């Protein structure tokens, strides 16, 4: 009985190891679709680098870019989970 339990645990561990996170692949697929937000972020970064006040930041543009990527990734990711 103990041997059976050990075998089942090993099988479960193997199944877990086989699972691959496809999110990074989906992000790479979606990034070109968010080029406008990326350009906006990159332009902001250039402005901030020239700003001497230390108060400028690009948090909004950064989140806009990743929000765009996430909106593209989410439906594809959940379709693969079904």
């Amino acid at each position: 009985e103990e041997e059976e339990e050990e075998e089942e645990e090993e099988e479960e561990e193997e199944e877990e190891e086989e699972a691959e996170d496809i999110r990074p692949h989906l992000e790479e697929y979606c990034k070109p679709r968010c080029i406008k937000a990326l350009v906006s972020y990159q332009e902001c970064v250039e402005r901030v680098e020239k700003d001497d006040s230390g108060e400028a930041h690009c948090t909004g543009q950064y989140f806009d870019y990743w929000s765009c990527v996430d909106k593209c990734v989410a439906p594809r990711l959940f379709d693969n989970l079904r």
Side-chain angles (χ1 to χ4, degrees):
E1 192 173 311
E2 285 182 32
E3 288 178 25
E4 288 178 19
E5 288 178 16
E6 287 178 16
E7 286 178 17
E8 287 177 15
E9 288 178 15
E10 287 176 14
E11 288 176 12
E12 288 175 8
E13 287 176 9
E14 287 175 10
E15 288 175 10
E16 289 176 11
E17 289 174 11
E18 291 175 10
E20 178 187 354
D21 183 7
I22 62 167
R23 184 178 177 90
H25 302 291
L26 292 174
E27 286 178 350
E28 290 305 314
Y29 170 79
C30 288
K31 284 178 180 178
R33 299 169 186 263
C34 299
I35 198 74
K36 184 176 178 182
L38 177 61
V39 168
S40 176
Y41 172 68
Q42 290 171 333
E43 289 172 347
C44 179
V45 168
E46 289 177 17
R47 285 192 307 271
V48 168
E49 288 173 349
K50 296 174 185 174
D51 180 58
D52 294 331
S53 72
E55 294 182 18
H57 58 83
C58 301
T59 305
Q61 292 83 351
Y62 177 83
F63 283 114
D64 288 347
Y65 172 65
W66 282 104
S67 176
C68 175
V69 173
D70 287 342
K71 285 179 185 174
C72 173
V73 167
R76 292 165 177 81
L77 182 63
F78 288 109
D79 282 347
N80 283 305
L81 293 176
R82 293 182 188 160

